[in-house]
């Protein structure tokens, strides 16, 4: 459905739009099946959240790229890409806000009815299936309502970008001061923060956003006077050393501690920052217009991002698989002492890949002392319980005994229905039902 909503107005025919939505839905279904297969019940869902966020970014970029490709000229129409992507960027939060208002109205109505003794509607809203249907339906209607006010979306975009464009001179002033001071301060203090890549990449992301806000679709003159626009073009060169230092800081961290899921995603961000910083700097050699190389750079970065992200949330090179393989290699090579190894990462933060790795380590038949130490620690890690893990099942008989002996029914003397008790004590009960029984 999201592919259908967000591709509105981007295709020549309804059939092409439907085909795109179905193909996109199929791809996301396969990616979701892979993520679901790697999920381990009772452990952290951080892996799934990483995949969810990455898939959201990938899908958002995919829609305008697919609809913005001009098949007759065999090239991307940057103006169409700009219009479509920014419309969707404003459309999604607008629809989410309308859906939230819809729910506020539903609950206000439910409380109003309950105030005179009609509580059926409130109980109706608490059903999970009802919440799914109303939220999805409300969001779809909100998308339609927002698309019907396209001129308001465009006005909101124009206002937002025009205002944010004036943050670019300030941001590049900070970058220029930082680069000029760096030879005197050195990089020791920067690396001593242990967050060098984080600081540099976030600053780079902000400057890139402000630059795009100023450029917009490239059809109009920049918002700055000619002299300031020229200064900003040269000042962009200061982003290149920032990108190089971010890459260096991240490489050092990886060399010290190996790959982790967060470092893999950070390396993706660092790669994109390098592409943007170098690509935008090429504008100095293209004087046809201000920041002339920005469209080609953005398209290249978007395509690269889609390919990389899709690979990293698929079985081809899943981020968890890469991180687990690298950490195991460091453990087996002797770079890490088994007592200092992050066993919690394998147990709780790397999905099925980490769980399978722990089982393999715990079942190692070798009698060599280090191998036995690793096997013992792996076995202990497997026995750990996540603090947020759902409670284990009671046996069906124990669950029935708990219902009969530890639950008080009012009014006194009421008998609990036998079929209902057996349903509550079923093997595949929901988390909240199981919690009550435990």
């Amino acid at each position: 459905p999201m592919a259908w909503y967000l591709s509105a107005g981007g295709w020549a025919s309804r059939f092409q739009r439907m085909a795109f939505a179905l193909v996109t839905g199929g791809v996301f279904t396969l990616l979701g099946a892979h993520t679901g297969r790697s999920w381990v019940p009772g452990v952290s869902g951080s892996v799934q959240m990483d995949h969810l966020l990455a898939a959201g970014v990938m899908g958002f970029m995919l829609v305008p790229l697919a609809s913005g490709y001009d098949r007759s000229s065999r090239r991307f129409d940057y103006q169409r890409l700009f219009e479509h992507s920014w419309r969707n960027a404003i459309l999604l939060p607008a629809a989410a806000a309308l859906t939230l208002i819809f729910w506020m109205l539903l609950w206000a109505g439910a409380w109003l009815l309950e105030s005179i003794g009609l509580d059926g509607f409130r109980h109706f809203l608490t059903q999970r299936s009802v919440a799914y249907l109303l939220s999805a339906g409300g969001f779809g209607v909100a998308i339609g309502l927002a698309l019907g006010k396209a001129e308001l979306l465009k006005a909101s975009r124009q206002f937002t970008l025009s205002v944010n464009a004036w943050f670019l001179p300030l941001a590049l002033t900070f970058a220029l001061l930082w680069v000029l001071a760096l030879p005197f301060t050195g990089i020791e203090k920067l690396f001593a923060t242990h967050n060098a890549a984080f600081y540099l990449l976030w600053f780079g992301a902000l400057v890139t956003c402000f630059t795009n806000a100023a450029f917009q679709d490239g059809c109009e003159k920049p918002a700055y006077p000619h002299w300031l626009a020229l200064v900003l073009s040269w000042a962009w060169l200061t982003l290149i050393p920032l990108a190089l230092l971010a890459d260096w800081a991240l490489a050092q961290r990886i060399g010290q501690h190996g790959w982790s899921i967060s470092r893999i995603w950070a390396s993706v961000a660092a790669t994109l920052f390098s592409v943007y910083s170098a690509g935008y700097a090429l504008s100095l050699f293209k004087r046809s217009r201000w920041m002339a190389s920005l469209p080609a750079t953005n398209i290249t970065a978007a395509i690269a991002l889609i390919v990389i992200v899709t690979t990293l949330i698929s079985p081809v090179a899943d981020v968890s698989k890469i991180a687990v393989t690298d950490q195991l290699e460091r453990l087996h090579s002797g770079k890490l002492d088994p007592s200092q190894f992050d066993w919690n990462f394998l147990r709780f933060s790397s999905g099925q890949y980490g769980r399978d790795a722990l089982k393999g380590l715990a079942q190692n038949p070798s009698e060599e002392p280090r191998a036995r130490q690793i096997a013992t620690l792996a076995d202990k890690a497997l026995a750990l319980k996540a603090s947020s893990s759902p409670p284990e099942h009671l046996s069906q008989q124990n669950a029935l005994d708990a219902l009969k002996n530890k639950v008080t029914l009012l009014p006194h003397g009421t008998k609990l229905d036998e079929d209902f008790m057996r349903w509550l004590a079923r093997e595949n009960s929901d988390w909240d039902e199981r919690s009550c029984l435990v």
Side-chain angles (χ1 to χ4, degrees), residues 400-409 437-438:
L400 287 171
D401 290 341
L403 286 168
K404 291 177 181 178
N405 302 323
K406 296 190 176 182
V407 175
T408 301
L409 274 76
L437 292 174
V438 170

Side-chain angles (χ1 to χ4, degrees), residues 177-244:
L177 292 173
W178 188 86
V179 170
L180 292 176
L182 194 62
F184 303 98
T185 62
I187 61 173
E188 290 78 12
K189 290 184 178 180
L190 173 66
F191 283 5
T193 64
H194 301 295
N195 286 308
F198 176 81
Y199 295 148
L200 296 174
L201 291 176
W202 264 112
F203 185 82
L206 286 173
V207 179
T208 303
C209 288
F210 296 146
T211 305
N212 280 273
F215 184 83
Q216 299 193 28
D217 60 359
C219 296
E220 300 180 5
K221 292 182 179 180
Y224 317 111
H226 177 72
W227 67 269
L228 180 57
L230 183 62
V231 169
L232 294 177
S233 297
W234 282 97
W236 180 266
L237 294 176
T238 58
L239 274 293
I240 294 179
L242 265 77
L244 293 175

Side-chain angles (χ1 to χ4, degrees), residues 112-191:
L112 183 66
L113 293 174
E114 190 178 24
S115 68
I116 57 174
L118 302 176
D119 60 352
F121 188 58
R122 183 180 66 82
H123 291 302
F124 175 73
L125 292 181
T126 60
Q127 303 302 311
R128 188 175 299 176
S129 57
V130 171
Y132 289 155
L133 289 171
L134 290 179
S135 297
F139 187 81
V141 172
I143 288 280
L145 291 173
L147 285 173
K149 302 292 182 181
E151 67 280 359
L152 295 179
L153 295 177
K154 189 172 183 177
S156 299
R157 181 203 73 198
Q158 195 69 27
F159 171 78
T160 302
L161 296 182
S162 298
V163 171
N164 277 278
W166 285 99
F167 287 116
L168 179 61
L170 178 61
L172 288 178
T173 299
F174 280 122
L176 181 61
L177 292 173
W178 188 86
V179 170
L180 292 176
L182 194 62
F184 303 98
T185 62
I187 61 173
E188 290 78 12
K189 290 184 178 180
L190 173 66
F191 283 5

Side-chain angles (χ1 to χ4, degrees), residues 60-136:
F60 181 84
M61 303 291 284
L62 178 64
V63 172
L65 276 176
S67 60
Y69 183 73
D70 190 338
R71 290 161 185 78
S72 59
S73 61
R74 296 185 178 181
R75 59 187 294 273
F76 288 98
D77 184 338
Y78 190 75
Q79 186 176 5
R80 193 194 306 177
L81 290 175
F82 170 82
E83 292 286 344
H84 203 157
S85 58
W86 273 104
R87 183 206 67 185
N88 288 347
I90 297 175
L91 178 64
L92 287 173
L98 288 173
T99 307
L100 178 61
I101 294 172
F102 172 61
W103 269 106
M104 291 170 62
L105 176 59
L106 289 177
W107 275 107
W111 292 331
L112 183 66
L113 293 174
E114 190 178 24
S115 68
I116 57 174
L118 302 176
D119 60 352
F121 188 58
R122 183 180 66 82
H123 291 302
F124 175 73
L125 292 181
T126 60
Q127 303 302 311
R128 188 175 299 176
S129 57
V130 171
Y132 289 155
L133 289 171
L134 290 179
S135 297

Side-chain angles (χ1 to χ4, degrees), residues 57 61 201 204-205 208 236 243 247 265-280 297-306 308-309:
V57 171
M61 303 291 284
L201 291 176
T208 303
W236 180 266
D247 294 338
W265 291 124
S267 68
V268 174
T271 301
L272 289 176
F273 183 29
S274 299
V275 171
Y276 285 125
S277 59
Y280 289 6
T297 302
N298 283 356
I299 293 170
T300 302
I303 294 174
L305 179 63
I306 290 174
I308 294 171
V309 167

